């Protein structure tokens, strides 16, 4: 099944604040544990912008090809993963070692030997990427054509599934770990990419979902993602915001269930809004990232017997269940994804940074121009 | 067994910022679910100071007799608790209803119908107190004399066990919920009453315990409470503090275990110190209370896959295990407790507020003067 393969063409970050540059690299010899993935799509994440702007440092020294939200086909594999060759896969954004004490203790996302493409080694803004094969998630029913329609979901291809690698799976694990139950109340703060998927996952679980965003277009669009009450947190004083949500909860959710809040905005304002919603027994899941440190009354956790959980990535063993939900139309990725040529990466990064991108952008290599 | 009983003499808070006043009340008729407890001792807590200074409001309207850390003897009981009469008991500081959905779901400390003495109704700074009998915890082996020595623990009487009602049990639940394991690293921030008990409970569980406090006397005294490394957080830059603790952890604890941090200082500075110690997979338990809102980089929870848990009170079902540890000398309360006459309450509150009290003060009614 292994195809003749000679090179990788990708977009490399050489220095913070500088444009990416197009590079060619030879495909290295694969170790027994590695695979070579031909990229079908690689999503653009705010984490990439964090690296590019220099606020967050990549764990691997620069230069580095970024991109950690990858779907593709396994073109070649080391001994341990020979049976993956030819398979369509989603690459978990965090690839744990699977062997250490943390992995064995069920904490794979904090495995200290974890590999995150585009952070610990070259990533997916490229035609091909070399990675550990251990936790790649095969896509059931996918053939060799990355543009073929998958399952019975209108418009869904392997390329769209790139967003499962990080945005959808991060949201999924956040909901999973929160303990949100059917009939519970979920509040999603920030209805961008990850927030919209968090809303979908929460609604799919049977929760009554409230969404908060300052952008009226996002609030309007969120209805399709299962948000049943969309509010502008800037337009309401904190107390009134709570009251509006409490009123919704009384009529639409289990009266007894504690609130579950998902902070997905990755902004100080969003974090303060989320913190202000803490009540008895509440769970706040911190999904978004910002380097800011807003003032927070930490003691409210104590006074309310509440908790705040950080969520980093997604454990590989959750991916099959996530894919199953996407392939059975329980989670819609097509409407929230935009495919763009990899060659347009500079323009796309601009759009994402200036919040002009309304959907999660997946960069797609042009096979005619770039394949070896 | 029921003794002739006519009145309650207690110290009532009428208004924030004003001295307490000594009052007499008639003992009301007990409902089927209530008991009358003759107070052996009632501990003084910083929560009482919060009420007195007006920063925190009591849930019951003033005037109110404060005090929620109570041990004593059941003198009389309604129908449902007749077999408690004559028993020595510790009164959990939070008495849930035991019937609601939250109680049934194992969340008794956030039961909305919970009764906290000295907050929801008259409390223990008194000769007697009337309370729901449901969750009182009988003291094995205790007789009718509140001054008799208990078990084989030198100096331990029923009066000292008042501190089990809140300080010890709050620390115990905090450790229990944190998931701290034998061989794990525990960092206790603030070595006051609750912090010292948290250190003891953590050490009893087999953890390697680090204690942080700005007060050199407290740091020195903490050794006896199982603290094996005591540091002054003000004397070390945040990075160096982490490094010192990490060095200790490498030699004294499981290298793989994530840190468990107990914020017991109830100060903004302590909370910032505790937050600065968050690392991969860490758990921060917020035990102390302050109304301040220090700047905190909430996203560190996400970046480190860490969590912050609030701890409010202690579930009644944990009390027998706590008492067992105290009665078997695994947790020392005698060295950390000072018995003082209830009549000295004004002076004692002064001492606690000005941090002159080096041990947890338990107020003891003078039976000769005050009993009916």
């Amino acid at each position: 099944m292994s195809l003749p393969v000679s090179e990788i063409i990708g977009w490399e970050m050489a220095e913070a604040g500088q444009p990416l540059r197009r590079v060619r690299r030879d495909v290295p010899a694969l170790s027994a544990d590695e695979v070579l993935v031909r990229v079908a799509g690689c999503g653009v994440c705010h984490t990439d912008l964090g690296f590019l702007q220099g606020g967050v440092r990549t764990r691997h020294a620069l230069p580095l090809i970024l991109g950690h939200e990858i779907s593709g086909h396994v073109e070649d594999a080391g001994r341990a993963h020979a049976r993956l060759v030819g398979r369509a896969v989603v690459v978990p954004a965090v690839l744990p070692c699977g062997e250490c004490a943390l992995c064995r203790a069920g904490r794979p996302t904090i495995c200290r030997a974890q590999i995150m493409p585009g952070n610990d080694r070259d990533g997916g803004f490229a035609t091909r990427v070399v990675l550990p094969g251990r936790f790649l998630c095969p896509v059931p029913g996918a053939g060799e054509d990355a543009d073929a329609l998958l399952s019975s979901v209108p418009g869904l291809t392997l390329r769209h599934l790139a967003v499962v690698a990080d945005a959808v799976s991060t949201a999924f694990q956040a909901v999973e770990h929160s303990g949100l139950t059917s009939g519970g109340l979920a509040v999603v703060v920030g209805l961008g990419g990850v927030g919209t998927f968090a809303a979908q996952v929460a609604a799919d679980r049977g929760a009554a979902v409230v969404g908060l965003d300052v952008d009226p277009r996002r609030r309007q669009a969120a209805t399709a993602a299962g948000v049943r009450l969309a509010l502008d947190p800037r337009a309401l004083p904190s107390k009134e915001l709570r009251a509006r949500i409490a009123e919704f909860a009384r009529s639409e959710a289990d009266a007894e269930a504690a609130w579950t809040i998902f902070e997905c905005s990755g902004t100080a304002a969003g974090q303060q809004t989320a913190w202000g919603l803490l009540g008895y027994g509440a769970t706040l899941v911190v999904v978004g990232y910002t380097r800011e440190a807003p003032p927070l009354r930490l003691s409210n956790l104590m006074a309310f017997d509440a908790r705040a959980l950080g969520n980093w990535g997604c454990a590989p063993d959750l991916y099959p269940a996530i894919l199953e939900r996407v392939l059975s139309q329980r989670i819609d990725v097509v409407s929230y994804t935009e495919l763009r040529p990899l060659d347009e990466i500079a323009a796309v990064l601009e759009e994402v940074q200036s919040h002009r991108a309304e959907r999660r952008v997946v960069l797609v290599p042009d096979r005619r121009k770039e394949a070896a």
Side-chain angles (χ1 to χ4, degrees), chain A:
Chain A
M1 295 280 290
S2 176
L3 307 171
V5 161
S6 60
E7 65 179 12
I8 293 168
I9 298 171
W11 291 82
E12 176 184 276
M13 171 182 177
E15 204 180 325
Q18 295 301 309
L20 298 179
R21 58 191 189 199
R22 192 166 185 273
V23 289
R24 289 172 185 264
R25 300 205 210 289
D26 288 334
V27 170
L30 300 179
S31 75
D33 299 323
E34 288 178 327
V35 297
L36 175 70
V37 174
R38 189 174 69 237
V39 176
C42 183
V44 177
C45 178
H46 279 271
T47 306
D48 298 312
L49 295 176
F51 293 143
L52 283 165
Q53 292 160 0
V56 184
R57 288 174 61 169
T58 55
R59 293 192 289 235
H60 189 282
L62 300 176
L64 188 72
I65 297 174
L66 302 184
H68 56 266
E69 197 173 80
I70 305 167
S71 61
H73 285 94
V74 177
E75 277 191 321
D76 198 3
R79 210 174 46 244
H81 303 292
R83 73 213 161 94
L84 277 179
V85 174
R87 296 296 304 268
V89 293
V90 167
V91 179
V94 171
L95 295 162
C97 78
E99 307 281 354
C100 70
L102 287 165
C103 283
R104 290 196 313 269
R107 303 294 309 268
T109 60
I110 53 170
C111 163
R112 301 324 311 133
Q114 69 179 238
I115 298 294
M116 178 172 161
N119 188 0
D120 293 293
R121 57 195 293 176
D122 278 337
F125 295 152
T127 54
R128 296 187 169 90
V129 59
V130 175
L131 291 168
R134 183 167 187 150
F135 288 115
L136 305 198
C137 181
V139 179
E144 289 189 22
D145 180 0
D147 293 303
L149 293 180
L150 288 173
S151 176
S152 57
V153 186
L156 183 69
T157 72
L158 179 63
R159 302 196 193 279
H160 297 86
L161 292 185
V163 300
V164 171
D166 188 13
V168 180
S169 53
T170 294
F172 189 87
Q173 178 175 282
V175 174
E176 185 79 14
H177 286 185
S178 74
L180 180 68
T181 53
S182 176
L185 180 83
V187 183
V188 178
V189 181
L191 297 169
V194 176
T196 304
F197 289 127
Q200 283 200 63
V201 173
D204 176 62
R205 192 163 289 225
V209 184
V210 175
L212 307 182
D213 203 292
V214 295
D215 183 335
R217 290 170 311 168
R218 285 181 165 187
R219 290 200 301 277
Q220 199 164 13
T223 313
V227 170
R228 281 153 62 188
L229 174 68
L231 298 170
D232 179 356
R234 275 198 216 155
L236 294 168
S238 171
K239 217 168 180 173
E240 201 177 320
L241 188 66
R242 282 181 74 109
R244 289 284 298 277
I245 297 172
E247 188 192 340
F248 171 83
R250 273 191 299 276
S251 67
E252 307 292 325
D254 283 353
E256 312 278 4
W259 296 8
T260 308
I261 304 146
F262 299 92
E263 202 315 288
C264 301
S265 78
T267 67
Q271 292 184 341
Q272 289 191 287
T273 297
W275 200 264
L277 295 175
L278 287 173
Y280 291 104
T283 297
L284 165 62
V285 190
V286 183
V287 185
Y289 181 84
T290 170
R291 287 167 59 86
E292 289 188 74
L296 299 173
R297 191 189 280 179
L298 187 62
S299 303
N300 281 1
L301 292 182
M302 175 267 199
F304 291 129
D305 211 80
R307 58 187 187 150
L309 311 176
N311 187 80
W312 175 256
C314 179
D317 63 359
L318 295 176
Y319 278 77
I322 302 167
L323 263 185
E324 188 276 321
R325 281 165 175 76
V326 172
L327 295 172
S328 63
Q329 300 200 55
R330 290 168 61 181
I331 300 174
D332 171 16
V333 300
V334 175
S335 308
Y336 301 94
T337 306
E338 181 183 359
L339 305 184
R340 296 280 291 276
L342 175 58
D343 277 348
E344 294 178 16
I345 187 167
V348 165
L349 289 168
E350 271 285 317
E351 291 165 35
V352 174
Q353 186 170 350
S354 59
H355 299 280
R356 276 178 291 137
E358 284 180 34
R359 294 182 287 178
R360 188 88 168 177
V361 178
V362 171
L363 294 170
V364 174
D366 181 337
R367 211 88 49 84
R368 287 161 306 173
K369 277 164 64 186
E370 294 186 335

